[in-house]
């Protein structure tokens, strides 16, 4: 009899557990059919590395929250701005502030202690506070004004050589990307490097980023099998990482020596060496949670790579889309040029960064470019630290959660004529007037993210976009070149760039 009661109790307990599990499964956001271990069957026909077109179809079928299974990982995508605000800014903000372990960390053992990958905790707070206070604070940003003026000259020279006069129009993105690398390399390592050195760093960074974003997604499926089948991919990734290390460590050691000599008052004056750099701050960081140890060279390499990537690819992509829209919309370009001319006059050598904040139409042009063409169409993925509710759906602990940046900025329910480039919408009386870029009050567009993991470089990115756009429009009239018409088809690299590169005809405005 006692055995029968135990069996009955066990059966009831098992039934309760099964029912609870089924209840949770019923509350998960909807999605396509999946099989254990492999995930959704649609991966047989679609690539996990290029998921956006697939998601746009799934949102139409299932609604604004969709569940995908990538291997054994549960991934949830949110396209609704109100649900995104509730998750990222509302009651669930802390719960969803972690990051899923990156493939580079899990497979290659690199990049765990960087700001974008670290979980929301002491290490993340320490590294982010160091970046914001010691490099991105307005007082620090002002120290690099001479660097921005130098890079402005480099950029205009590159554009003159590639697209002015009767010369065949060149790919403007190359000039944007190279000059942003010049600036960020200087800010990172405190040294103005020559073009071959900057190009080497640029090539190494792009090769690494493109490879890990395109070729490592296969390891999301049955990693115990795929790590054996695709060993060559891991070997290639390690070689690309070693290339970064070989380039960065000598520059890091040079700053160690610079700091040592500075303490002894032995640093000679140099036009190419700056007194402050991001690496300087990293050399002073210690990790209290790990016995106050200093950062390793490998960790500093990862943080430098993160700094360069965050400040170059996104900004150069933003410049490409904005200038393409100005080529296609000459009336907008002329209104912007009129504002620049009225602000700076005809005699100034440049549009100084001190005055760009006083140009409302310039800012409207930048905001409209970021709304219509955000460099990243997704936020970096978040991970739920515990079970949470979003829009009545269960987001289980450990699930990866992502948010559709481009969809929110192009939502026709929130924006009038969303696919039209209309900077006037951000002026007084427009449907974007007073938009909150931080998303604190509500999300209408979030090219820099929102909430606790918002991009730390929002302010400096806006400064760079305003400063360089203003100076390029003041120097040249940007026109469509014969046989190189502007097309807005997108291509996903690390950011979302123009599939057909921008090749304008540049007409000098000043003689």
């Amino acid at each position: 009899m006692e055995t029968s009661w135990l069996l009955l109790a066990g059966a009831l307990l098992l039934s309760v557990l099964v029912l609870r599990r089924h209840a949770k499964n019923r509350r998960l956001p909807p999605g396509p059919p999946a099989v254990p271990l492999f995930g959704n069957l649609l991966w047989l026909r679609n690539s996990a590395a290029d998921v956006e077109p697939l998601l746009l179809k799934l949102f139409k079928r299932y609604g604004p929250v969709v569940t995908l299974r990538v291997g054994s990982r549960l991934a949830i995508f949110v396209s609704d701005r109100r649900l995104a605000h509730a998750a990222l800014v509302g009651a669930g903000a802390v719960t969803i502030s972690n990051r899923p372990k990156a493939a580079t960390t899990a497979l290659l053992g690199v990049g765990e202690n960087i700001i974008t990958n670290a979980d929301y905790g002491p290490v993340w707070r320490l590294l982010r506070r160091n970046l914001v206070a010691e490099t991105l604070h307005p007082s620090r940003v002002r120290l690099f004004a001479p660097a921005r003026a130098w890079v402005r000259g480099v950029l205009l020279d590159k554009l003159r050589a590639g697209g002015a006069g009767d010369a065949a129009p060149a790919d403007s993105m190359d000039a944007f990307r190279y000059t942003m690398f010049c600036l960020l390399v200087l800010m990172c390592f405190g040294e103005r490097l020559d073009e071959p050195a900057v190009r080497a760093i640029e090539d190494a960074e792009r090769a690494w980023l493109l490879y890990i974003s395109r070729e490592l997604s296969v390891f999301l499926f049955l990693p115990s099998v795929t790590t054996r089948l695709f060993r060559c991919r891991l070997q290639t990734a390690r070689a690309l990482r070693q290339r970064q290390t070989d380039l960065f460590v000598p520059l890091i050691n040079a700053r160690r020596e610079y700091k040592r000599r500075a303490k002894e008052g032995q640093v000679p004056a140099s036009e190419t060496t700056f007194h402050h750099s991001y690496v300087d701050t990293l050399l002073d960081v210690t990790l209290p949670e790990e016995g106050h140890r200093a950062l390793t060279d490998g960790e500093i390499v990862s943080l430098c790579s993160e700094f360069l990537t965050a400040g170059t690819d996104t900004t150069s992509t933003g410049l490409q889309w904005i200038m393409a829209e100005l080529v296609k919309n000459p009336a907008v370009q002329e209104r912007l040029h009129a504002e620049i001319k009225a602000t700076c006059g005809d005699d100034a050598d440049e549009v100084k960064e001190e005055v760009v904040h006083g140009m409302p139409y310039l800012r409207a042009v930048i905001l409209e470019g970021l709304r219509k063409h955000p460099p990243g169409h997704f936020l970096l993925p978040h991970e739920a630290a515990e079970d949470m509710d979003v829009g009545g759906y269960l987001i289980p602990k450990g699930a990866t959660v992502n948010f559709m940046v481009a969809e929110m900025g192009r939502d026709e329910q929130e924006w009038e004529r969303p696919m039209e480039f209309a900077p006037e919408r951000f002026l007084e009386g427009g449907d974007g007037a007073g938009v909150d870029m931080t998303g604190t009050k509500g999300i209408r567009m979030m090219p820099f993210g929102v909430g606790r993991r918002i991009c730390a470089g929002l302010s400096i990115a806006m400064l760079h976009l305003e400063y360089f756009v203003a100076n390029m429009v003041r120097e040249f009239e940007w026109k469509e070149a014969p046989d190189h018409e502007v097309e807005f088809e997108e291509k996903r690299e690390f950011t979302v760039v123009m599939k057909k590169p921008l090749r304008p005809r540049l007409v000098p405005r000043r003689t």
Side-chain angles (χ1 to χ4, degrees):
M1 178 67 73
E2 184 176 351
T3 302
S4 299
W5 278 108
L6 287 173
L7 289 173
L8 179 59
L12 289 172
L13 178 60
L14 180 61
S15 299
V16 169
L17 292 174
V18 169
L19 287 172
R20 286 184 63 187
R21 181 179 179 186
H22 285 174
K24 283 189 174 184
N25 284 338
R26 283 200 301 272
R27 289 184 58 216
L28 284 175
V35 297
L37 299 179
F38 179 78
N40 297 113
L41 296 175
L42 51 76
W43 302 127
L44 297 172
R45 294 176 286 107
N46 298 272
S47 170
D50 189 21
V51 72
E52 186 176 10
L54 172 64
L55 281 169
L56 297 182
K57 297 177 183 177
L58 295 177
F59 286 131
K60 291 180 180 179
R61 181 183 305 172
Y62 295 109
V65 188
V66 168
T67 296
L68 290 178
R69 295 183 184 273
V70 186
S72 58
R73 180 176 294 181
L74 186 69
I76 294 169
F77 295 84
V78 179
S79 65
D80 182 87
R81 69 182 186 91
R82 293 175 182 82
L83 297 181
H85 186 267
L88 294 169
V89 182
V94 174
T95 303
I96 205 170
S97 292
N98 279 346
R99 294 284 192 218
K101 181 160 284 192
T104 49
T105 300
L107 299 172
L108 305 174
V110 300
E112 182 173 12
N113 282 346
I114 64 174
I115 299 167
T116 49
N117 285 358
D119 277 341
Y120 183 74
V123 172
W124 176 80
R125 282 190 287 270
L126 173 66
L127 295 175
R128 183 182 171 96
R129 184 167 60 247
N130 173 72
L131 173 64
V132 171
E134 300 298 331
T135 301
L136 300 183
H137 188 274
S139 63
R140 294 295 193 184
V141 170
R142 283 193 292 271
L143 294 178
F144 293 102
R148 283 186 287 277
W150 165 65
V151 166
R152 172 189 58 81
V154 173
L155 173 58
L156 296 181
D157 286 344
K158 289 287 183 186
L159 293 172
R160 287 189 192 98
D166 297 326
D171 180 357
S172 295
M173 186 63 165
D174 180 69
F176 299 156
R177 189 178 285 129
Y178 168 70
T179 50
M180 290 304 102
F181 260 100
C182 285
L183 178 56
L184 270 293
V185 164
L186 191 155
M187 293 179 68
C188 185
F189 299 109
E191 189 68 34
R192 184 190 298 180
L193 303 181
D194 59 20
E195 182 160 350
V198 173
R199 291 288 189 188
I201 293 173
E202 177 187 357
D203 292 344
E205 279 294 291
R206 285 191 56 72
W208 165 256
L209 288 170
L210 291 176
Y211 195 82
I212 63 174
S213 63
R214 291 174 177 174
E215 303 298 331
L216 297 193
S217 60
V218 68
F219 299 112
L220 297 172
F221 303 94
L222 301 172
S224 61
V225 176
T226 51
T227 49
R228 290 179 171 84
L229 291 177
F230 299 100
R231 288 192 303 271
C232 58
R233 297 194 187 190
L234 295 178
Q235 292 169 356
T236 300
R238 292 188 183 100
L240 293 172
R241 167 66 176 188
Q242 187 60 49
R243 184 180 170 195
Q244 285 180 311
T245 301
D246 293 342
L247 288 169
F248 290 1
V249 168
L251 296 170
I252 294 166
N253 286 335
R255 289 310 289 192
R256 279 198 178 98
E257 178 63 13
Y258 178 89
K259 284 170 66 68
R260 184 190 68 77
R261 296 178 66 187
K263 288 180 180 179
E264 299 173 357
Q266 299 178 358
V267 177
S270 170
E271 292 184 359
T272 63
T273 302
F274 271 56
H275 296 303
H276 179 74
S277 76
Y278 182 46
V279 167
D280 293 349
T281 74
L282 297 177
L283 292 172
D284 292 333
V285 167
T286 60
L287 301 178
E289 301 295 313
E290 301 181 34
H292 290 278
R293 71 166 177 85
L295 296 173
T296 67
D297 279 358
E299 288 169 332
I300 296 177
V301 167
S302 294
L303 286 160
C304 289
S305 176
E306 173 187 53
F307 182 82
L308 294 174
T309 300
T312 55
D313 272 79
T314 51
T315 304
S316 56
T317 299
L319 290 174
Q320 183 191 42
W321 285 112
I322 291 167
M323 299 315 295
E325 289 285 3
L326 292 179
V327 169
K328 206 68 176 174
N329 296 275
V332 172
Q333 185 179 167
E334 285 311 302
R335 180 172 177 178
L336 175 57
H337 180 251
E339 181 183 64
I340 294 167
K341 189 174 180 179
T343 303
C344 302
D346 294 323
D347 299 328
D349 291 332
E350 66 168 322
V351 182
K352 295 186 178 297
E353 58 188 64
E354 293 84 2
V355 305
V356 296
H357 298 305
M359 297 186 188
Y361 196 68
L362 170 63
R363 187 170 184 85
V365 167
I366 303 305
L367 290 174
E368 180 70 340
L370 292 172
R371 180 199 66 80
K372 186 180 175 188
H373 306 287
H377 283 199
F378 301 88
L379 295 186
L380 291 173
H382 292 64
E383 183 178 87
E386 57 187 58
D387 287 359
M388 62 181 296
D389 181 275
V390 173
Y393 293 118
L394 170 73
I395 309 296
K397 177 181 178 180
T400 297
V401 189
N402 215 322
F403 301 87
M404 307 293 290
V405 173
E407 284 300 289
M408 294 178 197
R410 300 169 179 176
D411 184 357
E412 62 184 12
Q413 301 300 319
E414 301 297 330
W415 300 94
E416 296 179 13
R417 308 179 311 279
M419 297 313 294
E420 179 180 326
F421 188 77
E424 291 77 11
R425 73 174 78 246
F426 289 100
L427 301 179
E428 186 176 354
D431 62 328
V435 68
D436 177 15
M437 290 283 282
T438 68
T440 303
K441 301 175 183 178
I443 295 172
R444 300 195 66 202
M445 56 185 283
M446 55 173 182
F448 299 98
V450 299
R452 283 166 170 76
R453 303 303 289 244
I454 191 173
C455 175
L458 188 159
S459 294
I460 194 172
M462 291 296 293
L463 169 62
H464 288 171
L465 289 170
E466 291 171 354
Y467 177 69
F468 290 113
V469 167
N471 277 284
M472 286 190 290
V473 171
R474 181 174 189 266
E475 196 70 23
F476 305 110
E477 182 180 2
W478 290 64
K479 293 189 171 185
E480 211 163 31
D483 301 322
H484 296 284
E485 291 77 11
V486 172
E487 298 177 5
F488 292 111
E489 189 174 356
E490 298 166 342
K491 174 185 175 183
R492 182 181 179 273
E493 292 185 349
F494 176 68
T495 53
V496 179
V497 300
M498 297 176 69
K499 185 174 183 179
K500 180 182 177 182
L502 174 63
R503 297 179 183 273
R505 182 166 68 91
L506 303 181
V507 179
R509 294 186 189 270
R510 300 189 300 156
T511 58

